[in-house]
Amino acid sequence: MVAEQARIAENLGVIQQQIAEAARRSGRSEDDVQLVAVTKYVGASVIRALVASGCHVLGESRPQVLWSKAVELADLEIAWHLIGHLQRNKLRRTLPLCQLVHSGDSQRLLVEMDKEAKREGSAVEILLEINISGDTEKHGFDPRQVAEILPTLAQLEHLKIVGLMAMAARGSSAEEARRDFAALRELRDQLAGDCPDNVTLRHLSMGMSNDFQVAVEEGATIIRVGSALFAGIDR
Ligand SMILES: *Cc1c(COP(=O)(O)O)cnc(C)c1O
């Protein structure tokens, strides 16, 4: 356990250093970049070591796993982010547990989320997931259609759309990913020029273990890092 925590702390230190350097290369500060620690590979005991090392914003890609970990770790101070596809029949249990949903990936889902948020009397913060690489197996809005659909989404008054999220094309190198990240930033800049009042596009959630430095250089404000945090840990 102690060795585990030391290893995670060491990995985290390296990642934070890399974030700071990449932020500086893009003329920003590391404080402009939120690290979401993706815990989908590990169980509760490793997550405890992670939180003890100072990570309090955690990402899970599967709603049911998020439910069970949230219960198991209820004694810890954790802000959970959902980063994977959310089925509409899981909304009711998932939304109250999440600080931010990265995977707002269809109009149908957003309409149902809005209804659920209204029922709960709460506001839900979400990112619009964009299928920036055009991969047919990926979820997300078609980047060519977002501008047209955004005013309609903005009318969902119990949702707060605070940015965009994307993944680079499967199997791409960090430098190949740069093209996708730059495209997401350009899309954001283009949409921000004519943005409905209750929508802010301040966040760009992009970059994972293999490409987060490039993502930060291209303007990421949130990165989602899993494997790099757990290098050298039995999981
Ligand atoms: C698993 C996952 C990550 C983290 O991936 P790593 O390569 O392990 O850092 C980030 N984002 C999403 C959406 C994921 O599913």
Side-chain angles (χ1 to χ4, degrees):
M1 272 301 284
V2 173
E4 216 167 52
Q5 187 171 327
R7 188 63 205 255
I8 289 175
E10 188 184 323
N11 292 344
L12 180 61
V14 171
I15 291 166
Q16 282 167 336
Q17 183 68 30
Q18 290 168 331
I19 294 171
E21 284 164 12
R24 232 166 283 137
R25 286 195 293 274
S26 67
R28 298 188 300 150
S29 147
E30 66 255 47
D31 300 336
D32 300 336
V33 182
Q34 168 75 60
L35 170 67
V36 176
V38 176
T39 49
K40 66 187 180 193
Y41 312 104
V42 296
S45 78
V46 175
I47 298 178
R48 286 184 183 279
L50 180 69
V51 174
S53 306
C55 283
H56 294 272
V57 182
L58 308 187
E60 278 290 333
S61 55
R62 305 191 49 197
Q64 290 107 311
V65 177
L66 194 154
W67 302 344
S68 60
K69 285 179 177 169
V71 169
E72 225 175 332
L73 300 164
D75 57 309
L76 300 182
E77 197 177 308
I78 295 173
W80 291 103
H81 287 196
L82 183 74
I83 61 172
H85 182 58
L86 178 56
Q87 297 83 3
R88 280 169 294 151
N89 63 359
K90 302 202 173 75
L91 280 171
R92 187 153 298 178
R93 277 192 71 177
T94 308
L95 295 186
L97 302 174
C98 291
Q99 183 193 56
L100 180 66
V101 175
H102 291 228
S103 42
D105 56 17
S106 73
Q107 184 170 5
R108 261 168 39 136
L109 174 67
L110 265 62
V111 166
E112 291 304 315
M113 280 173 99
D114 181 62
K115 283 188 196 155
E116 188 55 30
K118 181 177 182 187
R119 202 188 65 88
E120 293 265 336
S122 61
V124 173
E125 294 214 338
I126 62 157
L127 305 177
L128 299 181
E129 181 171 349
I130 309 294
N131 187 354
I132 201 74
S133 65
D135 185 333
T136 51
E137 285 171 25
K138 283 213 169 97
H139 293 284
F141 289 94
D142 182 330
R144 293 163 301 190
Q145 290 169 357
V146 195
E148 195 183 321
I149 211 170
L150 193 58
T152 310
L153 301 177
Q155 286 169 15
L156 302 169
E157 54 187 313
H158 303 276
L159 299 186
K160 284 201 248 169
I161 299 174
V162 295
L164 306 180
M165 177 271 212
M167 276 177 275
R170 206 182 297 266
S172 48
S173 68
E175 283 307 317
E176 286 162 349
R178 185 186 295 280
R179 192 189 48 212
D180 288 333
F181 297 150
L184 191 71
R185 186 194 63 232
E186 282 157 21
L187 177 64
R188 192 273 309 272
D189 292 347
Q190 183 193 327
L191 296 170
D194 185 22
C195 207
D197 281 349
N198 56 336
V199 173
T200 73
L201 297 177
R202 67 177 182 277
H203 285 301
L204 288 176
S205 167
M206 55 189 195
M208 319 194 333
S209 291
N210 286 331
D211 50 28
F212 70 85
Q213 290 160 275
V214 166
V216 170
E217 287 171 11
E218 295 299 330
T221 62
I222 305 177
I223 59 173
R224 311 175 307 268
V225 176
S227 346
L229 274 169
F230 306 112
I233 303 260
D234 266 341
R235 38 169 162 113

